[in-house]
């Protein structure tokens, strides 16, 4: 082999080595890029889940307040109902006494 052929073979070998190095470098860059995308996607997913959890906690707190207000209203209505039932009982008893008095006084009740 003369010097020209050795130079040509050397250039081809160097070119192949450079191409191989570029290919290996590109694979490494792709891995890093994919790894970054996975980590970025995971971070976004965690952020979205935390936001969803915070919204759910806020909704739960609001529902707890509404539930407490509903129980308070129900308790008030029960107290009102109990008072009305007492008033009905008192009026019924008073009506019975008045009917008995009217009957005792000699007049029929209607």
């Amino acid at each position: 082999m003369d010097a020209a052929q050795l130079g040509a073979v050397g250039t081809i070998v160097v070119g192949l080595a450079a191409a191989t190095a570029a290919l290996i470098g590109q694979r490494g860059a792709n891995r890093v890029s994919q790894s970054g995308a996975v980590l970025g996607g995971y971070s976004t997913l965690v952020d979205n889940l935390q936001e969803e959890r915070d919204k759910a906690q806020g909704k739960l707190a609001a529902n707890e307040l509404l539930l407490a207000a509903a129980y308070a209203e129900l308790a008030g209505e029960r107290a009102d109902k109990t008072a009305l039932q007492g008033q009905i009982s008192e009026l019924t008893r008073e009506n019975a006494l008045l009917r008995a008095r009217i009957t005792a006084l000699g007049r029929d009740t209607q």
Side-chain angles (χ1 to χ4, degrees), residues 67-110:
L67 183 61
Y71 274 126
E73 184 178 343
L74 180 61
E77 288 176 1
R78 284 182 180 164
D80 291 345
K81 182 180 176 184
T82 301
L84 286 174
Q85 286 176 337
Q87 188 178 6
I88 288 170
S89 296
E90 179 62 30
L91 290 172
T92 302
R93 186 187 66 74
E94 188 177 343
N95 283 349
L97 290 174
L98 289 172
R99 282 193 178 101
R101 190 167 181 193
I102 291 171
T103 302
L105 293 173
R107 193 157 178 218
D108 197 14
T109 62
Q110 291 184 5

Side-chain angles (χ1 to χ4, degrees), residues 1-97:
M1 269 196 189
D2 64 349
Q5 287 178 337
L6 284 176
V9 169
T11 303
I12 291 172
V13 169
V14 169
L16 288 174
T20 304
L23 183 62
I24 292 171
Q26 183 62 33
R27 283 185 181 173
N30 284 342
R31 284 188 192 131
V32 169
S33 174
Q34 289 173 354
S35 175
V38 168
L39 290 177
Y42 178 75
S43 177
T44 302
L45 177 63
V46 169
D47 289 344
N48 289 343
L49 290 174
Q50 288 174 344
E51 286 178 20
E52 187 175 340
R53 183 193 63 211
D54 292 343
K55 286 179 185 177
Q57 286 176 335
K59 179 70 174 164
L60 176 63
N63 283 352
E64 291 289 342
L65 290 174
L66 291 173
L67 183 61
Y71 274 126
E73 184 178 343
L74 180 61
E77 288 176 1
R78 284 182 180 164
D80 291 345
K81 182 180 176 184
T82 301
L84 286 174
Q85 286 176 337
Q87 188 178 6
I88 288 170
S89 296
E90 179 62 30
L91 290 172
T92 302
R93 186 187 66 74
E94 188 177 343
N95 283 349
L97 290 174

